[in-house]
């Protein structure tokens, strides 16, 4: 994942809109991707992405560099998504969206999306950050604010649940 | 040990959190427990499915919207990217033109009080509105004043008056009058005329020689190119109509970035920002001949579009800022051009929706080349090709335009070409029943993507390039059909789906290219490519609008590698997009060009070629390269750093 250099962050911290624009450009794909994963609706994901960047811009001065900038930004994104869901923002299943890659495993991936839809949100967000984004437990812990040990248990539980749901879909022919 | 404890440890290991104290007991347990081994395999499979997912395309308007909102979030701060306006020391009349351009840029970028804020909805509507407007333009004439900077160190500013005229659907004339003052009469005036009248295409201008060699290389004389037998909307004998309506420039999907609103000639305009590489079709009427200064592909262009007609009323090219831009300028004999310097400014002086035959008259010159196309009546076509040609039942409102065939033996004898047009929108359908080449029919090549048509048939698609429209090749029993058009992709697919044949997969031998050094297997799947190259990485950050397009397996010199192309769906002006190549290797091959520099990429030292816009490195015994001629080093590094390991093979 892209990390802005410290000088760029410092310029943005001082309110340099041009520097922040560069940061937006660099992080937009990841922030939008996480928002889409959490919201499962492109329109809500756009709103969450925009809100996350605006909130990050307003709070740049509070970023002290104790974590990676990307981790800090994704934490804001996740919080914006949680707020949006609380406000009743529309979510939908990504499983119904057309996949983009030609693949013999297409059906399995669609099944996986459908299974992810049924996961509790605390399991899904850990799964997305670790499995899709490739984050470590430590980084995920900083984004979600939960201990690494909890994440270890959540990932095991998530994998077990997904396997059971995928197995069921294989047996019944539906996800 | 309990299964649950082992599974939890296996799960953590997959996430890179191994507890080495458990190594021995976990291995021992796994050796005798099918259930835990199955858990591990299934967990890996789930990871494979999760990480194969391509990054979603970020909507273009989103970036613009975020930047605007962050500006609003700090209303008292002056945005640091407002360009400072500087008037260079030039003569008063040039200064006046420059000030006019600077004023445009001031309200484009400043967002000052009293100006309407751009609407994201409008940004997403513009391509559709331009596509709709293209069908309604029947005639046009306009006069532009153009100021060009840094053509030559002895000619820092040039000024032109251009007169453009158009009549539907294939008559066009652009006359460029050079008003510049040159140091001596030895310098050739860059006055040119480009005319198109259906089958005729004529260009007249000065004999050009390298800009840096002027005035010594100027020999006098004229460059006269006159073509007859031109096929409808031929990409080789260009019909540069984007200056009338920027269909090719802006009608590609997800391309429009609105940066403000204002007025030009008292008319409301919307200012659209794009890079020069995307705006190339807008300059085609100038660059058909003569001598012009070059622009860097990432130089920003602000295009001001009339909100009623969508005609371009002004456009301005500025200098981009990057180290590569500076190196490019030095290579091209240009002075250092600081970020934001206005390089070309074009302002409309008058326009209306009329034109006269006199304004569109072709220069009186004899043809220098016959391209071989002959127009015939539709009624006589079937007799000449010995079959009844196929017609789409849906034409998107276009009408029959020109019909004909080639007479020079360069094409199949039974090939028919039928074109349709309305205003500036066009479509041509080429067909044959005797195609025998081992390749897709028409101007569709190795980068074509197979897709399904609305009728369920298969077609091979390529986006528009700088000289060709959007293209489809259809292979069906007894028929090969090629469609090319500037219609939006959805419309083109609908037209193709209305043909009375059903396309099928091309023979597999058509998708294998052999050359003395090896073989390229085209149109393979990502999964098959991963079997060839288990080390394959995929980017999770791509420029907006870019998606995985095609995957090739390359076999050369006893090794196999994988090349993946990422392209935009509507328009890819250079015809290539982003290219990612990966192959097993122990070191970098010798550089192809001398101007390479060492760069740090993914923790190793790689090299960057500014000439080829390519970043190459070797990591873990794998050679990887990323290239895209529209990206600078920073953009290439962003893609390289986003590459993620594929799932285990």
């Amino acid at each position: 994942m892209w990390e802005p250099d410290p000088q760029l962050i410092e310029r943005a911290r001082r309110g340099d809109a041009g520097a922040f624009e560069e940061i937006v450009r660099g992080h937009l794909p990841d922030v939008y991707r996480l928002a889409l994963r959490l919201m499962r609706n492109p329109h809500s994901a756009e709103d969450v992405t925009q809100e996350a960047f605006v909130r990050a811009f307003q709070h740049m001065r509070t970023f002290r560099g104790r974590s990676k900038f990307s981790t800090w930004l994704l934490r804001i994104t996740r919080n914006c998504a949680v707020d949006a869901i609380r406000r009743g923002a529309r979510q939908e299943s990504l499983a119904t969206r057309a996949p983009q890659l030609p693949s013999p495993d297409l059906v399995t991936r669609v099944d996986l999306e459908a299974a992810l839809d049924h996961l509790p949100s605390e399991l899904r967000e850990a799964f997305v950050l670790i499995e899709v984004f490739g984050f470590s437990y430590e980084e995920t812990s900083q984004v979600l604010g939960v201990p690494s040990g909890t994440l270890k248990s959540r990932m095991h539980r998530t994998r077990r649940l997904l396997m059971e749901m995928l197995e069921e879909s294989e047996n019944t022919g539906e996800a | 040990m309990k299964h649950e404890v082992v599974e939890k440890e296996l799960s953590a290991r997959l996430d890179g959190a191994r507890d080495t104290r458990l190594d021995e007991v976990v291995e021992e347990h796994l050796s005798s427990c099918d259930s835990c081994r199955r858990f591990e395999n299934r967990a890996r499979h789930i990871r494979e499915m999760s990480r194969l997912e391509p990054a979603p395309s970020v909507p273009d308007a989103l970036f613009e919207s975020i930047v605007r909102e962050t500006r609003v979030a700090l209303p008292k701060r002056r945005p640091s990217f407002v360009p400072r306006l500087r008037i260079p020391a030039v003569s008063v009349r040039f200064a006046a033109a420059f000030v006019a351009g600077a004023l445009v840029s001031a309200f484009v970028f400043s967002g000052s009080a009293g100006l309407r804020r751009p609407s994201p909805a409008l940004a997403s509507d513009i391509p559709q509105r331009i596509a709709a407007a293209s069908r309604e333009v029947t005639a046009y004439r306009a006069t532009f004043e153009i100021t060009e900077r840094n053509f030559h160190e002895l000619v820092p500013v040039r000024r032109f008056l251009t007169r453009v005229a158009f009549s539907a659907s294939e008559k066009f004339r652009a006359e460029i009058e050079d008003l510049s003052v040159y140091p001596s009469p030895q310098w050739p005036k860059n006055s040119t005329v480009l005319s198109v009248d259906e089958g005729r295409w004529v260009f007249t201008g000065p004999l050009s020689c390298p800009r840096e060699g002027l005035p010594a290389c100027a020999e006098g004389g004229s460059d006269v190119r006159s073509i007859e037998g031109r096929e409808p909307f031929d990409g080789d004998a260009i019909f540069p109509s984007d200056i009338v309506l920027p269909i090719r420039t802006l009608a590609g999907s997800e391309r429009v970035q609105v940066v403000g609103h204002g007025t030009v000639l008292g008319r409301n305009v919307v200012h659209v920002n794009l890079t020069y590489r995307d705006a190339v079709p807008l300059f085609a009427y100038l660059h058909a001949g003569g001598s012009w200064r070059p622009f860097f592909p990432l130089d920003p262009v602000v295009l001001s579009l009339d909100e009623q007609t969508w005609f371009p009323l002004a456009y301005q090219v500025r200098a981009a800022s990057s180290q590569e831009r500076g190196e490019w300028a030095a290579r091209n004999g240009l002075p250092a051009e600081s970020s934001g310097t206005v390089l070309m400014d074009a302002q409309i002086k008058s326009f209306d929706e009329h034109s006269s035959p006199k304004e569109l008259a072709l220069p009186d010159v004899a043809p220098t080349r016959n391209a071989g196309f002959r127009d015939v009546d539709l009624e006589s076509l079937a007799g000449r090709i010995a079959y009844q040609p196929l017609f789409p039942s849906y034409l998107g409102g276009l009408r029959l335009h020109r019909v004909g065939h080639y007479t020079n033996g360069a094409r199949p004898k039974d090939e028919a070409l039928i074109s349709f047009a309305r205003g500036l929108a066009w479509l041509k359908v080429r067909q044959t029943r005797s195609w025998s080449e081992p390749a897709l029919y028409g101007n569709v090549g190795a980068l074509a993507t197979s897709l399904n048509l609305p009728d369920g048939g298969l077609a091979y698609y390529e986006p528009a390039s700088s000289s060709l429209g959007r293209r489809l090749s259809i292979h069906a029993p007894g028929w090969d059909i090629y469609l090319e058009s500037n219609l939006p992709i959805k419309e083109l697919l609908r037209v193709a789906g209305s043909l009375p044949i059903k396309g099928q997969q091309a023979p597999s031998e058509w998708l294998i290219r052999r050359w003395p050094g090896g073989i390229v297997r085209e149109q393979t799947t990502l999964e098959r490519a991963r079997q060839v190259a288990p080390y394959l990485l995929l980017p999770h950050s791509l420029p907006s609008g870019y998606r995985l397009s095609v995957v090739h397996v390359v076999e050369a010199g006893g090794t196999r590698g994988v090349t993946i192309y990422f392209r935009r769906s509507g328009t890819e002006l250079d015809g290539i997009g982003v290219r990612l190549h990966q192959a097993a290797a122990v070191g970098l091959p010798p550089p192809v060009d001398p101007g390479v520099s060492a760069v740090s990429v993914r923790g190793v030292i790689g090299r960057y070629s500014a000439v080829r816009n390519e970043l190459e490195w070797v990591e873990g015994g794998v050679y990887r390269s990323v290239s895209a001629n529209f990206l600078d080093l920073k953009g290439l590094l962003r893609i390289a750093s986003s590459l993620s390991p594929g799932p285990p093979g």
Side-chain angles (χ1 to χ4, degrees), chain B residues 327-360:
Chain B
E327 290 165 2
W328 169 88
R331 278 200 306 278
N332 283 278
L334 293 163
E337 293 173 320
S338 57
S339 173
T341 304
V342 177
L343 310 175
M344 180 177 271
D345 180 69
Q347 297 285 322
I348 205 161
K349 293 294 139 192
S350 65
F351 78 96
D352 60 43
E353 294 189 55
H354 301 281
S355 61
S356 67
K358 192 180 165 191
E359 287 165 320
L360 290 157

Side-chain angles (χ1 to χ4, degrees), chain A residues 16 37 50 131 137 160, chain B residues 15 47 51 53 65 80:
Chain A
D16 181 337
R37 275 291 178 175
Q50 177 165 313
E131 282 287 52
Y137 285 167
R160 260 275 148 235
Chain B
D15 301 331
R47 164 156 298 181
R51 292 203 176 167
E53 178 210 63
S65 169
S80 65

Side-chain angles (χ1 to χ4, degrees), chain B residues 620-632:
Chain B
V622 180
Y623 166 86
R624 303 187 206 278
S625 70
V626 184
S627 58
N629 82 2
F630 61 95
L631 289 178
D632 55 12

Side-chain angles (χ1 to χ4, degrees), chain B residues 272-276 279 282-283 299-303 315-317:
Chain B
V272 168
N273 193 30
L274 60 163
T275 58
Y276 174 71
L282 190 66
F283 296 80
D299 282 342
V301 176
V302 174
L303 174 61
Y315 54 94
Q316 194 176 68
V317 189

